[in-house]
């Protein structure tokens, strides 16, 4: 009889684990008096991101002077940026309004998958953009041959093709873990560290797998960027033309600014096998790379890039006439 009871108990525990169909995102419920203020701030930031990136996509498509590999990659980066913020911010705005935060198991897995996908794509595209600048500055005579339209399309396609299967496998691995006990995620979206904290049993192997993927998608592209810009800076310093140096630095400064901001915050979240930061610190850092930096990126690219500034003025003059 005891064996039968133990069997029923084990079956019941297993049922409790597998029937978890919903999570609760706490978001910013710990500061209830500021919900409407936060809603207004995040709504303005989201609309700013959509508008600025859409403008970049538009002018890099229609302006004849911007039909170069550099702006082809910037066009795709802006599209990915729009997708990236759309996965998280609208959901956050909805939760701020409803103050409930309920999210289904499938929706949570889908959100994590898309966040990792678009975040990984940004890392790869930043590396591709660095390589493009390296070829343009260090090998200008063969730039048109090396960075041909076919090669540009292949680089963007390879970024997508390499990211999709890895991210799907990563998400499946995380959500195949047994979840029991609390269903509350102390975050404003389904990110890896807070979801791991809800899993039962030993998650060491899964966390090492996440760390390995983060190394491939964050550290490897970052090292390629460092090498590319190391050679670019060396080449610039050898140049005797002061004007040439200034132009080279101006074309690279905006890209370097974005790289430092994005990699600096993302690495603190994903390049730790066992995250030891507090949940509140994790939320603050996540706000940087999911909301603040995507807001700054198009502003950096437009204000620090003379070609885009000129193209934008031409577009505005056409619309005003």
């Amino acid at each position: 009889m005891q064996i039968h009871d133990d069997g029923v108990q084990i079956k019941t525990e297993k049922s409790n684990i597998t029937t978890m169909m919903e999570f609760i995102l706490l978001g910013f419920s710990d500061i209830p008096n500021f919900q409407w203020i936060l809603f207004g701030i995040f709504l303005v930031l989201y609309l700013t991101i959509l508008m600025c990136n859409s403008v970049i996509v538009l002018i890099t498509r229609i302006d004849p002077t911007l039909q170069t590999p550099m702006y082809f990659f910037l066009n795709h980066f802006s599209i990915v940026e729009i997708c990236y913020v759309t996965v998280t911010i609208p959901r956050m705005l909805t939760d701020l309004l409803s103050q409930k935060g309920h999210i289904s198991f499938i929706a949570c897995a889908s959100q994590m998958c898309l966040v990792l996908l678009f975040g990984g794509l940004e890392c790869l595209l930043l590396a591709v953009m660095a390589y493009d600048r390296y070829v343009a500055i260090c090998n200008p005579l063969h730039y048109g041959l090396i960075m041909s339209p076919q090669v540009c399309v292949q680089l963007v396609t390879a970024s997508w093709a390499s990211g999709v299967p890895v991210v799907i496998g990563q998400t499946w691995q995380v959500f195949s873990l047994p979840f029991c006990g609390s269903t509350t995620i102390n975050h404003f979206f389904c990110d890896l560290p807070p979801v791991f904290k809800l899993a039962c049993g030993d998650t060491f192997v899964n966390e090492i797998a996440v760390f390995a993927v983060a190394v491939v998608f964050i550290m490897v592209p970052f090292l390629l960027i460092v090498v590319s810009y190391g050679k670019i800076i060396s080449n610039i310093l050898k140049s005797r033309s002061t004007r040439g140096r200034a132009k080279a630095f101006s074309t690279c400064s905006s890209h370097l600014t974005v790289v430092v901001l994005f990699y600096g915050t993302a690495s603190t979240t994903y390049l730790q096998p066992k995250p030891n930061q507090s949940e509140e610190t994790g939320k603050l850092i996540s706000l940087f790379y999911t909301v603040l930096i995507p807001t700054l990126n198009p502003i950096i690219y437009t204000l620090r890039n003379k070609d885009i500034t000129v193209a934008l003025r031409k577009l505005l003059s056409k619309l005003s006439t």
Side-chain angles (χ1 to χ4, degrees), residues 26 33 62 68 70 82-83 103 112 115 132 135 137 151 216 227 250 267 270 282 289 293 299 319:
L26 284 183
N33 295 331
I62 65 174
T68 63
M70 175 182 175
I82 291 171
C83 297
I103 184 169
M112 179 185 290
V115 167
D132 170 71
V135 176
I137 294 171
V151 171
V216 173
V227 171
S250 68
S267 60
Y270 297 108
Y289 65 80
I293 294 173
I299 298 172
L319 292 175

Side-chain angles (χ1 to χ4, degrees), residues 211-241:
F211 177 74
V213 171
V215 167
V216 173
F217 280 87
I218 296 178
M219 281 309 299
V220 172
F222 181 70
L223 290 175
L224 291 174
I225 292 170
V226 170
V227 171
S228 296
Y229 276 100
K231 293 188 175 183
I232 288 171
I233 292 170
S234 175
N235 189 275
I236 291 173
L237 293 176
K238 292 177 184 178
S239 175
R240 295 181 181 180
S241 170

Side-chain angles (χ1 to χ4, degrees), residues 27-96:
F28 303 97
S29 58
D30 54 330
I31 44 174
N33 295 331
F34 293 92
Q35 299 291 298
W36 282 104
I37 297 174
L38 290 174
F39 176 83
I41 292 171
F42 291 138
L43 178 61
V44 170
L45 292 178
Y46 180 57
L47 293 176
T48 301
I49 294 168
L50 291 183
M51 182 182 68
C52 292
N53 280 289
S54 297
V55 168
I56 291 176
V57 171
L58 178 63
I59 61 176
T60 52
R61 288 278 177 91
I62 65 174
D63 194 290
T65 62
L66 301 182
Q67 303 309 304
T68 63
M70 175 182 175
Y71 297 110
F72 173 80
F73 296 129
L74 179 58
N75 178 283
H76 283 272
F77 185 81
S78 296
I79 292 172
V80 172
E81 193 93 296
I82 291 171
C83 297
Y84 182 59
V85 297
T86 301
V87 173
T88 54
I89 299 181
R91 173 84 211 187
M92 181 170 57
L93 293 174
T94 303
D95 292 341
L96 284 170

Side-chain angles (χ1 to χ4, degrees), residues 17 105 169-179 206:
I17 292 171
F105 189 89
Q170 190 80 80
T171 306
W172 178 85
Q173 185 185 42
V174 171
F175 282 88
S176 63
L177 289 168
F179 291 95
N206 301 82

Side-chain angles (χ1 to χ4, degrees), residues 3-13:
I3 295 174
H4 176 72
D5 291 343
D6 290 344
V8 171
Q9 184 178 1
I10 293 170
K11 185 176 180 181
T12 303
E13 289 176 356

Side-chain angles (χ1 to χ4, degrees), residues 255-283:
H255 183 238
L256 272 174
T257 306
V258 172
V259 167
V260 170
L261 289 172
F262 185 74
Y263 279 94
T265 52
S267 60
T268 58
T269 299
Y270 297 108
L271 283 175
Q272 299 180 68
K274 186 72 174 179
N276 52 14
Q277 63 193 20
S278 69
E279 291 177 334
E280 297 306 319
T281 303
K283 277 198 286 188

Side-chain angles (χ1 to χ4, degrees), residues 67-69 72-73 76 143-157:
Q67 303 309 304
T68 63
F72 173 80
F73 296 129
H76 283 272
Y143 180 67
L145 181 64
I146 296 172
M147 300 303 294
S148 65
Q150 293 82 2
V151 171
C152 293
V153 172
Q154 288 170 1
L155 287 170
V156 171
T157 304

